[in-house]
Amino acid sequence: ASSALLVFVDPDCPAGRRLRQLDVGMASEQWVQAGTPLLRVELPAMLVRADVWERLVEESLMRLVGEAGTPGAMHPAIKRLMALLPERIEAGDVSQRALAQEVGLSAGRIGHLFSTSLGIPLRPYILWLRLRRATEAFQNGETLTQAAHVAGFTDSSHLSNAFRRMFGLAPSEVTRGIEWVNG
């Protein structure tokens, strides 16, 4: 069986700001090259405590970003957007227009600021949040259809297709061995 470690790094924490400085483009080859230092990271063979995972993630991030200087702070509207997005995944409209209105900017401006600040467009980031929310619901005993609805997908087929595009696996394959570690 294979193991994988998926890590979400808060884009405004020190490591997240340094990751944004890597300036990796959208081409997969660039990401493969940027991630080469991670190939030397040894993942534990068995489940370990959360603090061990946190140390492993920190060491991995340092392999990628080193001790680079601290980049500037994130735009206040993007900070507000980052704070409201998780609850909006379930409860509301996550269109760029609606989110921009909520933080007081135009849709075009929020899209540009988000991409510039985080190095990823807003839509893929929202998809990541929705997939994570669906995974949590599925792990907590919800059916795949219920998990899909909780995360804002139209049905389980829509969720499954998004999972396959993002991870190359079905949701049940991904969620079987996942343990979320929040640091």
Side-chain angles (χ1 to χ4, degrees), residues 9 12 22 32 46 53 58 67 74 80-82 85 91-92 105 120 122 143-145 147 149-150 152 164 174 181:
V9 179
D12 203 36
L22 288 178
V32 168
M46 56 175 32
W53 279 117
E58 184 61 31
E67 297 292 339
M74 190 179 295
R80 284 193 311 275
L81 179 62
M82 296 291 292
L85 269 174
L105 295 174
I120 182 175
L122 180 57
T143 67
L144 198 54
T145 299
H149 291 162
V150 162
R164 287 185 196 283
V174 173
V181 177

Side-chain angles (χ1 to χ4, degrees), residues 17-95:
R17 290 193 305 265
R18 289 195 310 270
L19 279 171
R20 292 191 334 251
Q21 283 186 312
L22 288 178
D23 195 31
V24 178
M26 296 304 287
S28 59
E29 301 83 33
Q30 291 172 303
W31 282 100
V32 168
Q33 183 177 0
T36 299
L38 295 178
L39 295 175
R40 296 186 295 275
V41 174
E42 291 185 39
L43 294 178
M46 56 175 32
L47 288 176
V48 294
R49 295 183 327 265
D51 63 319
V52 174
W53 279 117
E54 288 174 29
R55 191 183 78 248
L56 177 66
V57 167
E58 184 61 31
E59 289 170 7
S60 299
L61 288 173
M62 294 315 293
R63 285 181 189 257
L64 286 176
V65 300
E67 297 292 339
T70 304
M74 190 179 295
H75 189 283
I78 299 303
K79 278 186 174 184
R80 284 193 311 275
L81 179 62
M82 296 291 292
L84 72 91
L85 269 174
E87 57 194 54
R88 288 292 293 271
I89 294 300
E90 286 184 53
D93 183 359
V94 290
S95 69

